[in-house]
Amino acid sequence: MALSCARTVGAFLGKCGNCGSAVSSQLSRKVPIRPLSCSSSLLRKNLAAAGPEKFTAEFIEKQVEEFNIGKRHLANMMGEDPENFCQEDVDRSIAYLFPSGLFEKKAQPLMKHPDEIFPRQRAVQWGADGRPFHFLFYTGKQSYYSLMHETYEKIQNLEKHQDRLRAKGLFSQDTKRISLGTSRWLTKDEVDVLLVETISAHDYNRFIQLMERLLSIPYCAGEEEFVLRYRRQLEAQSRKQMVPPLERDDRGVAFSTAEGRRKTSTSSVVLRDCGAGRVTVNGRDYLDFFSVLQDREQLMFPLQFTGTLGRFDLECSVSGGGRSGQAGALRLAVSRALLSFLSEGDVETMRQAGLLTPDPRLRERKKPGQEGARKKFTWKKR
Amino acid sequence: MALHRLSFRLRQTVTHVRSLHTSGCGQQLEAVAVESDPEPFSVFRTQENNPEFQSEKHLGQYYTLPSAHISTVFPHGLPWRYQQQVKTFNEACMMVRQPALEVISYLKKADYSKPAHRYIFYGLRGSGKTMSLCHTVHFCHTQGWLVLHVPDAFLWVKNCKELLPSSFNTARFDQPLQAAEWLRDFKITNEQFLLKIKTKQRYVWTKREFTEEGSLLGQLVDQGISRVKSSSDVVGAVIKELRLQSGQPESNFKLAVAVDGVNALWGRSTIKKEDRSAVEPEELTLVYNLRKLMNNDWTGGAIISTVCQTGSLFISKSAYLPQELLGETGFDNMDPFIPVSVPNYSEKEFESCYLYYMDRNWLQHPQSLTEEGKKELVFMTNRNPTMMERLCSSL
């Protein structure tokens, strides 16, 4: 299937002038390009033995060239300026030209710079005479050890600087330290990718220890850039809840609107501060709409939790899904709408009670060969 | 509240000349003060067990139905769940509510030389229509009226086990079992009248059996009970006799016709003939005769009924207004009638109900005895009497 996709894309772009796009080669990189006269058994054996694909530097260069030419062709096709055709435009154009109904992003057609597609590989480490370039080549992990050496050199330099200052009497403990902020060390896999070679867990731990030692020295502010290269920023977890604004209608009654979703139902709720305790769902009485006690309990939960049972008027509308999904969607919407009437502490308690968390559970797909999502057919011993 | 306003509007279009009971509906329920009532025990009970003397002072309060009355007046008249409750609590307490009180006041003031008034209780599901009907029936009984109570007209149009072609009119169908059961209940309720009223016509049942003119109504009824095959015709005869005699000056009784689920008479039925075609309600003898009684061409009594969606056939669940439930023909037949809306409990009534259950130790859950618990109950049931009862039974 990948091949057919590659062929169409390649043929399509090839029509515009022999560019042999990077797409086709990218899609076909998992299957070696061989003459068709080979038998499939040979193919299978060779795949197992080869290991990860090795690409030569020239091959990568050729791919980069083809990618750029392909980009220009694509820009021409889309009627845009080839000079200012950036990667987002490329993605947009590909999504337009090859609309895919697949859900898996990795299975959809893509056209990216070869550096992002082909993993970084080490160039040949030795010259024509067979002599390696790097002095640590025979350790086996040359980039790792060179990194460790570099870090240790920096530590030594800093300590020498410290001694000099102490000698002069200008040493002080409270110097500007490196501000790490909300960041974490690179994980072992990320270090592997950076160094283009595999290191063991032990090596990784030693590396981290060394970096921590570097950070513990006062006067390490000079090496900030070096250290931050090996740290990754954490995504800022938004602690702030989105509180819907409190509006006032003509009669001066405060109200707020919020939406909620659960499973396949969506709902929207207008919470009015009237003091009546009337609830309408889709224009009907909620006793009529939710005949099951459980659904009404779900609707009641946020109000009961905050102790505001008889205070608000609810005007709800809900669509989609079944009765339980609709009840859950309404509960979430009511909790969100309530936020604008509550204090910070109450918001926190509501969050901890789980009233503000959208429930991510969806219906699990039925798999072939099974009765349902999990249920299997009757097991027969023979 | 909307239901009350609706009833106001409907009432204005009714062209009856009568004095409207001006105590209004619903607005002053909260304003009614419970002072100087003779009961020292509780706020929610009243000692006034005679519906004749109950007034707005007793709104929202429970009065006790004497057990002797229950067995006579309501052999099968009360709703099933209420009967269970009576058995559990060992007492039959009914709440005095506005709709029933209103109809009772109309009955007190009506002129019985004019054609009979038709009252219809309507409301949402579980709001207390049947109970209001029973309250009114109890009042009629205490006043010494002859009560013709059909507990559920829907029983006559569905699940019929035996369907016989009528001997009287071959186009119609008889339901001997239902008719016999109804006659039995009728006998129990109106024992004293059956010994006084005399028939005005001669009825021939079979070649050998006939009822002479001038015989007691009791005899007629016994005939129907013993000869089950002709019981439907007996019902028809009874209805005819009562209709003819009720307005006459020499008869000293007033006739109260109480039908629960009167929209059954004009709806559809699920009974099928042998060739699988549906039976229309007017092809059933019982329904046909009852319909004749529903017309207001007789004097000296009143017709009190409810329209009900719960047992109804082929009606959507959200329909509760009389027009929707009666249909075109039904509405034309019953028009003009006095619609009385039965709403959910008001705050005072809900409070009263809650206190009653607490008094009877029915609410066992500790949370339900607190203030928050009460608010939760209000929310969960939306002050609907049936929902409240069902919810409290599991607490």
Side-chain angles (χ1 to χ4, degrees):
Chain A
M1 187 182 60
L3 256 182
S4 64
C5 188
R7 251 183 256 129
T8 47
V9 168
F12 192 69
L13 286 177
K15 274 186 206 151
C16 320
N18 289 349
C19 55
S21 73
V23 187
S24 58
S25 46
Q26 175 267 322
L27 285 171
S28 61
R29 76 176 165 95
K30 280 286 178 253
V31 179
I33 305 161
R34 288 165 188 279
L36 288 163
S37 52
C38 233
S39 68
S40 51
S41 55
L42 271 174
L43 267 170
R44 254 180 279 131
K45 248 195 284 186
N46 281 329
L47 272 174
E53 295 273 346
K54 299 261 188 285
F55 307 105
T56 52
E58 301 95 30
F59 174 75
I60 300 282
E61 274 167 28
K62 198 160 83 67
Q63 292 300 313
V64 173
E65 225 179 271
E66 283 178 3
F67 172 72
N68 287 325
I69 297 174
K71 224 165 67 155
R72 294 185 74 90
H73 277 294
L74 190 60
N76 276 332
M77 261 195 278
M78 298 300 286
E80 305 211 16
D81 178 21
E83 302 298 325
N84 303 333
F85 204 58
C86 62
Q87 187 56 43
E88 287 151 13
D89 298 325
V90 171
D91 292 333
R92 208 173 13 93
S93 320
I94 292 289
Y96 171 71
L97 288 170
F98 304 101
S100 161
L102 304 170
F103 292 109
E104 181 68 50
K105 298 286 178 217
K106 291 188 222 164
Q108 287 166 356
L110 73 108
M111 181 166 165
K112 293 222 188 287
H113 192 84
D115 281 344
E116 293 168 38
I117 297 175
F118 299 106
R120 272 177 52 201
Q121 286 184 332
R122 273 203 285 214
V124 170
Q125 307 286 317
W126 50 86
D129 56 348
R131 200 158 159 269
F133 296 132
H134 203 283
F135 72 102
L136 288 173
F137 175 76
Y138 287 109
T139 60
K141 305 176 249 191
Q142 61 179 46
S143 2
Y144 168 71
Y145 282 113
S146 71
L147 174 63
M148 293 293 271
H149 273 292
E150 201 186 319
T151 318
Y152 192 64
E153 195 185 325
K154 289 194 197 291
I155 291 175
Q156 280 191 324
N157 288 338
L158 283 175
E159 287 187 346
K160 269 192 222 148
H161 178 63
Q162 243 182 15
D163 291 336
R164 262 182 267 131
L165 285 179
R166 243 190 236 123
K168 281 193 223 159
L170 298 168
F171 179 75
S172 61
Q173 279 284 4
D174 51 331
T175 45
K176 185 165 148 304
R177 297 295 178 114
I178 298 179
S179 64
L180 298 169
T182 53
S183 59
R184 59 170 175 87
W185 290 117
L186 287 189
T187 58
K188 183 171 152 328
D189 302 312
E190 285 162 357
V191 173
D192 283 350
V193 164
L194 201 63
L195 299 177
V196 199
E197 69 185 9
T198 41
I199 57 176
S200 72
H202 180 75
D203 294 335
Y204 173 73
N205 289 334
R206 292 302 287 250
F207 169 63
I208 296 294
Q209 276 173 7
L210 198 62
M211 295 297 267
E212 293 284 345
R213 188 174 151 194
L214 174 65
L215 284 178
S216 67
I217 305 171
Y219 297 103
C220 56
E223 311 301 339
E224 187 169 337
E225 189 259 317
F226 173 74
V227 171
L228 286 180
R229 227 189 299 158
Y230 297 98
R231 284 194 80 96
R232 189 64 42 87
Q233 279 296 114
L234 291 167
E235 302 97 31
Q237 275 191 346
S238 51
R239 296 297 190 93
K240 287 276 162 194
Q241 292 287 347
M242 267 290 302
V243 174
L246 192 66
E247 303 144 48
R248 285 199 175 260
D249 69 0
D250 321 332
R251 291 181 302 156
V253 173
F255 72 96
S256 67
T257 323
E259 297 187 348
R261 260 201 269 208
R262 167 99 213 269
K263 268 192 192 176
T264 0
S265 329
T266 44
S267 72
S268 102
V269 161
V270 176
L271 201 73
R272 270 178 241 269
D273 195 357
C274 290
R278 274 191 296 258
V279 184
T280 347
V281 182
N282 281 358
R284 284 160 59 185
D285 198 31
Y286 70 113
L287 202 64
D288 205 17
F289 195 79
F290 290 128
S291 28
V292 181
L293 196 72
Q294 178 194 339
D295 299 336
R296 272 175 278 146
E297 272 180 1
Q298 289 285 298
L299 194 55
M300 183 178 77
F301 182 27
L303 302 172
Q304 180 211 10
F305 188 78
T306 49
T308 52
L309 262 181
R311 193 173 131 192
F312 293 105
D313 248 11
L314 296 174
E315 195 185 301
C316 326
S317 62
V318 66
S319 64
R323 73 174 170 96
S324 166
Q326 285 183 343
L330 275 177
R331 178 180 120 175
L332 184 60
V334 168
S335 328
R336 284 190 183 152
L338 263 183
L339 289 179
S340 49
F341 290 99
L342 300 175
S343 64
E344 280 291 326
D346 288 334
V347 168
E348 184 56 29
T349 36
M350 274 189 83
R351 187 190 67 84
Q352 286 183 352
L355 277 167
L356 301 172
T357 328
D359 199 332
R361 296 179 285 179
L362 288 175
R363 190 170 152 264
E364 200 175 306
R365 185 213 139 158
K366 175 201 175 311
K367 284 104 189 170
Q370 291 179 8
E371 272 278 357
R374 298 286 173 101
K375 181 171 158 118
K376 322 276 187 277
F377 291 124
T378 324
W379 180 69
K380 297 252 172 21
K381 196 159 177 184
R382 50 186 67 88
Chain B
M1 288 303 147
L3 290 173
H4 288 292
R5 268 183 249 128
L6 183 65
S7 67
F8 262 126
R9 261 187 267 128
L10 281 173
R11 207 171 290 128
Q12 270 149 25
T13 61
V14 168
T15 54
H16 257 267
V17 178
R18 49 169 168 75
S19 56
L20 262 180
H21 187 67
T22 48
S23 70
C25 339
Q27 318 122 332
Q28 50 274 47
L29 280 176
E30 279 71 31
V32 172
V34 189
E35 9 71 342
S36 70
D37 269 337
E39 74 283 358
F41 313 102
S42 43
V43 173
F44 59 90
R45 272 195 209 268
T46 171
Q47 303 299 85
E48 189 53 72
N49 289 341
N50 193 344
E52 193 183 341
F53 303 118
Q54 283 161 359
S55 64
E56 282 91 44
K57 268 201 310 184
H58 306 106
L59 271 178
Q61 293 184 326
Y62 281 85
Y63 81 97
T64 327
L65 283 153
S67 44
H69 280 190
I70 299 179
S71 43
T72 40
V73 186
F74 302 116
H76 286 105
L78 296 168
W80 174 241
R81 283 194 80 95
Y82 185 70
Q83 279 177 12
Q84 308 269 54
Q85 191 184 296
V86 166
K87 218 159 75 167
T88 319
F89 290 166
N90 248 346
E91 62 173 6
C93 277
M94 209 189 290
M95 197 194 274
V96 175
R97 287 186 81 194
Q98 176 60 32
L101 218 55
E102 197 181 316
V103 173
I104 289 173
S105 64
Y106 293 160
L107 289 174
K108 283 187 205 167
K109 296 190 185 179
D111 183 1
Y112 290 107
S113 53
K114 299 254 175 57
H117 292 299
R118 288 182 282 213
Y119 306 92
I120 295 194
F121 286 112
Y122 71 95
L124 287 170
R125 191 170 155 171
S127 56
K129 306 182 279 288
T130 311
M131 292 303 284
S132 305
L133 186 74
C134 295
H135 190 173
T136 324
V137 163
H138 185 223
F139 164 76
C140 297
H141 190 260
T142 50
Q143 295 295 92
W145 292 28
L146 202 165
V147 172
L148 204 135
H149 185 44
V150 178
D152 193 358
F154 283 107
L155 294 174
W156 291 358
V157 296
K158 50 183 179 178
N159 302 336
C160 184
K161 294 200 179 65
E162 259 190 46
L163 201 66
L164 302 171
S166 166
S167 46
F168 189 66
N169 185 343
T170 40
R172 296 209 280 262
F173 292 95
D174 264 2
Q175 286 154 299
L177 298 171
Q178 274 101 339
E181 196 190 318
W182 184 80
L183 281 171
R184 252 174 259 138
D185 294 340
F186 182 69
K187 186 168 165 189
I188 297 170
T189 314
N190 302 302
E191 218 44 90
Q192 76 240 76
F193 288 105
L194 298 179
L195 303 167
K196 285 192 252 166
I197 306 175
K198 297 207 168 33
T199 57
K200 289 277 166 53
Q201 212 189 321
R202 185 171 191 260
Y203 297 101
V204 180
W205 308 120
T206 57
K207 281 197 206 131
R208 309 271 175 79
E209 287 164 17
F210 47 86
T211 314
E212 285 293 336
E213 196 181 311
S215 57
L216 292 172
L217 204 62
Q219 260 186 325
L220 196 61
V221 175
D222 288 328
Q223 164 80 30
I225 295 176
S226 48
R227 295 274 179 278
V228 179
K229 245 180 106 176
S230 50
S231 49
S232 319
D233 293 324
V234 169
V235 171
V238 164
I239 286 176
K240 194 159 142 194
E241 286 295 320
L242 290 172
R243 220 178 72 210
L244 290 172
Q245 292 193 17
S246 76
Q248 312 309 318
E250 70 261 12
S251 56
N252 51 357
F253 67 91
K254 289 204 260 249
L255 180 63
V257 180
V259 184
D260 199 338
V262 79
N263 48 326
L265 304 180
W266 292 282
R268 285 161 66 179
S269 81
T270 48
I271 311 175
K272 291 208 173 24
K273 293 187 258 219
E274 268 129 21
D275 54 355
R276 303 269 201 95
S277 60
V279 169
E280 293 293 314
E282 54 256 11
E283 291 177 22
L284 297 164
T285 334
L286 291 171
V287 174
Y288 182 76
N289 289 317
L290 199 57
R291 274 200 204 179
K292 282 199 254 178
L293 199 57
M294 288 286 127
N295 296 327
N296 58 347
D297 48 6
W298 52 277
T299 59
I303 304 172
I304 318 142
S305 55
T306 61
V307 282
C308 189
Q309 191 277 326
T310 321
S312 73
L313 300 158
F314 308 104
I315 302 279
S316 83
K317 221 165 75 142
S318 53
Y320 72 97
L321 295 169
Q323 186 164 18
E324 295 164 349
L325 291 170
L326 284 171
E328 285 252 5
T329 37
F331 195 81
D332 293 330
N333 268 308
M334 290 296 278
D335 199 29
F337 60 87
I338 303 164
V340 185
S341 111
V342 183
N344 286 334
Y345 283 151
S346 68
E347 287 169 15
K348 180 167 172 239
E349 288 172 343
F350 183 85
E351 180 76 39
S352 177
C353 178
Y354 178 76
L355 287 171
Y356 177 65
Y357 283 135
M358 278 229 290
D359 173 64
R360 297 271 98 204
N361 289 330
W362 193 229
L363 300 169
Q364 290 292 314
H365 199 280
Q367 173 75 7
S368 61
L369 303 169
T370 60
E371 268 302 311
E372 288 95 47
K374 201 154 80 150
K375 280 197 206 164
E376 279 174 43
L377 282 172
V378 168
F379 190 92
M380 293 301 277
T381 61
N382 201 19
R383 296 209 205 94
N384 184 287
T386 315
M387 283 288 131
M388 175 73 180
E389 197 265 310
R390 275 176 199 261
L391 193 54
C392 293
S393 14
S394 54
L395 285 179

